[in-house]
Amino acid sequence: MTPPRRGFNDIVTRFWGVAAPAYNLPFLQQWVYRPAHDEVVAQLRDHLSARVADIACGTGILADRIQRDLHPAEVYGVDMSEGMLKQAQSRSSEVDWRRGPAEQLPFDDQTLDAVVTTSAFHFFDQPAALREFHRVLSPGGLVAVSTMSARRRIVPGSTWAPQHNPTPAEMRRLFEDAGFTVVEQRRVRRPLWTQPIGDLFTAGVKSQ
């Protein structure tokens, strides 16, 4: 049974259920989302992951690309939004699409080699989601996260900013607290005019 999400996340889930078609707009994908996808695909290629899950997969663009470019044995796309998953299912029949939250994934323990997520981590209960990623990964498994991360605290003293838009140091601490060793962290490489988005790429591995 799907657990209740925070009220804000419920609103976001319903919004994307309606707005899913707009998410596929080519200019939006190319300039906003693709740079982070490139980082994830490169990391997965280096890791040689055979069983990969894209969490908060949206309309399935990244999961479909992982399947087509890397040909792993199993690719899963997981999202809370039925509208998003409907779009994803029409995109590919090679990906296994599943509905569920990041904090309670529809997988048994140690069944995946890699878990990735892009442009959604700020909506998660971040410690709970990373603990769940750790649970479903096999020893040596990869977690790769691209998330919004402001280059400086936008609102001094804000309690919302560090929880949902972690700094590099906060991301590293979140990973380590969940049992991961951080192996790479950097700003996502993107065109100059989109750099204010300030997304941060962090990759870690589960101890053997």
Side-chain angles (χ1 to χ4, degrees):
M1 183 175 65
T2 301
R5 303 296 300 276
R6 298 190 307 274
F8 178 65
N9 281 9
D10 291 338
I11 294 170
V12 171
T13 298
R14 289 195 296 270
F15 168 77
W16 281 115
V18 174
Y23 183 82
N24 290 327
L25 291 172
F27 79 89
L28 189 65
Q29 287 298 323
Q30 179 177 356
W31 299 115
V32 177
Y33 297 113
R34 187 176 179 87
H37 291 181
D38 290 344
E39 300 280 2
V40 167
V41 170
Q43 196 75 32
L44 289 172
R45 183 178 284 113
D46 290 344
H47 189 257
L48 301 176
S49 308
R51 301 165 297 171
V52 182
D54 177 20
I55 311 305
C57 65
T59 60
I61 291 174
L62 176 56
D64 178 47
R65 180 180 172 189
I66 291 168
Q67 193 281 322
R68 288 185 292 103
D69 289 3
L70 304 180
H71 307 290
E74 301 170 13
V75 182
Y76 301 91
V78 181
D79 204 279
M80 278 289 291
S81 167
E82 292 181 358
M84 285 289 195
L85 288 175
K86 183 177 181 180
Q87 294 281 327
Q89 289 162 357
S90 68
R91 183 181 303 280
S92 174
S93 60
E94 300 297 320
V95 177
D96 186 339
W97 308 105
R98 300 187 179 188
R99 186 168 185 263
E103 300 86 352
Q104 189 173 344
L105 297 175
F107 303 104
D108 293 333
D109 294 355
Q110 300 188 17
T111 56
L112 299 174
D113 300 311
V115 171
V116 304
T117 186
T118 61
S119 306
F121 191 70
H122 50 286
F123 293 131
F124 300 164
D125 178 333
Q126 293 164 1
L130 283 168
R131 288 194 300 268
E132 186 70 348
F133 297 172
H134 190 275
R135 179 187 69 79
V136 301
L137 283 171
S138 59
L142 171 75
V143 57
V145 177
S146 176
T147 188
M148 296 170 61
S149 177
R151 297 176 188 274
R152 60 183 60 85
R153 189 70 54 80
I154 297 174
V155 181
S158 167
T159 58
W160 187 86
Q163 179 182 359
H164 291 275
N165 296 281
T167 65
E170 289 164 344
M171 278 296 289
R172 185 174 292 272
R173 186 162 56 250
L174 283 165
F175 268 54
E176 292 171 350
D177 288 348
F180 293 106
T181 299
V182 175
V183 296
E184 192 159 0
Q185 187 178 70
R186 60 175 178 269
R187 292 288 173 182
V188 171
R189 295 179 285 255
R190 55 171 53 257
L192 181 62
W193 68 274
T194 64
Q195 286 184 3
I197 293 173
D199 37 358
L200 178 73
F201 177 81
T202 307
V205 294
K206 179 177 177 177
S207 299
Q208 296 287 341

